[in-house]
Amino acid sequence: MKVLLCDDHAVVRAGLLALLSSEPDIEVVGEAGTGEEAVAATAKVRPDVVLMDLQLGPGIDGVEATRRIAGTGVRVLVLTTYDTDADITRAIAAGATGYLLKAERPEELFAAIRAAAQGRTALSPPVASRVMERMRGTGRPSLTDRELDILAQLSRGLGNREIARALFISEATVKTHLGRIYEKLGVETRAGAVAEGKERRLLP
């Protein structure tokens, strides 16, 4: 199977090239140091799988490059050091077939490339766990409509008194709802609630 490497570090690409060359059924047919180069190289050599880093410096990032490449039918396997919920969500939403961490063993990488080439999902164990937690809502109940209203006001930077006036409720009611919002989102501060709300796409 043909593989294209995209990473902005030449040393990393050289290491991957040497590693993948040890597998008789894997052929590296191109390299790219930027998202734009990856998109162009994919159109030129039509690999079976593109190994894509997320952080690529200036220009389009790995997520946007993934979106453009996946749109052409070529499989994209993200290979990165980042495993935040936001990165995972964005990459998968962009069409990535798999998401692997650079800390994985070579055997895991080989298996993930073969799986991706066949259109099967390949996720590092920590990534799979995070995806499952998100699908389960991390075990916390969802916010009510009123709580979502208050969260939206929080994101505007309003204080309790201002929120109470905007929603025609008492400050005491605002405080009660805030306590429930913090508990459900697993946070302790207003800023934390807003950040978690955006992470869960509860806010625009």
Side-chain angles (χ1 to χ4, degrees):
M1 65 200 73
K2 298 186 295 183
V3 175
L4 175 72
L5 307 177
C6 181
D7 195 294
D8 61 341
H9 292 98
V11 172
V12 173
R13 295 199 306 273
L16 286 171
L17 177 59
L19 187 63
L20 297 179
S21 296
S22 67
E23 295 299 290
D25 61 334
I26 298 177
E27 177 190 4
V28 176
V29 294
E31 297 181 33
T34 68
E36 289 84 354
E37 288 177 3
V39 173
T42 297
K44 183 177 180 180
V45 302
R46 293 298 294 180
D48 297 302
V49 177
V50 175
L51 273 185
M52 178 70 67
D53 192 12
L54 291 183
Q55 303 297 327
L56 298 174
I60 64 174
D61 64 5
V63 171
E64 179 57 29
T66 294
R67 181 176 292 107
R68 297 185 189 184
I69 292 171
T72 69
V74 174
R75 310 291 185 184
V76 179
L77 174 61
V78 170
L79 181 64
T80 183
T81 56
Y82 303 94
D83 66 344
T84 66
D85 287 352
D87 285 326
I88 296 168
T89 300
R90 290 175 63 228
I92 293 177
T97 299
Y99 196 109
L100 209 66
L101 300 179
K102 289 180 178 177
E104 294 295 342
R105 296 170 315 186
E107 294 77 16
E108 298 294 336
L109 174 59
F110 302 150
I113 290 174
R114 294 182 180 110
Q118 296 172 12
R120 293 186 286 112
T121 301
L123 300 174
S124 285
V127 174
S129 296
R130 295 176 86 92
V131 170
M132 291 301 293
E133 286 175 3
R134 287 185 66 82
M135 290 180 67
R136 294 185 186 121
T138 63
R140 302 188 187 102
S142 57
L143 301 188
T144 65
D145 288 341
R146 175 58 80 190
E147 288 164 355
L148 288 173
D149 289 340
I150 291 177
L151 184 61
Q153 300 300 323
L154 274 185
S155 70
R156 295 174 54 199
L158 301 186
N160 289 2
R161 181 174 300 177
E162 296 168 306
I163 293 175
R165 288 175 180 170
L167 300 180
F168 303 103
I169 56 180
S170 69
E171 282 189 64
T173 299
V174 171
K175 290 179 180 178
T176 298
H177 281 304
L178 280 177
R180 291 173 182 164
I181 291 171
Y182 290 174
E183 181 180 354
K184 289 181 178 181
L185 296 183
V187 299
E188 298 179 353
T189 65
R190 301 167 82 90
V194 172
E196 184 64 18
K198 290 181 178 178
E199 179 72 24
R200 295 195 189 189
R201 300 193 176 187
L202 300 176
L203 292 169

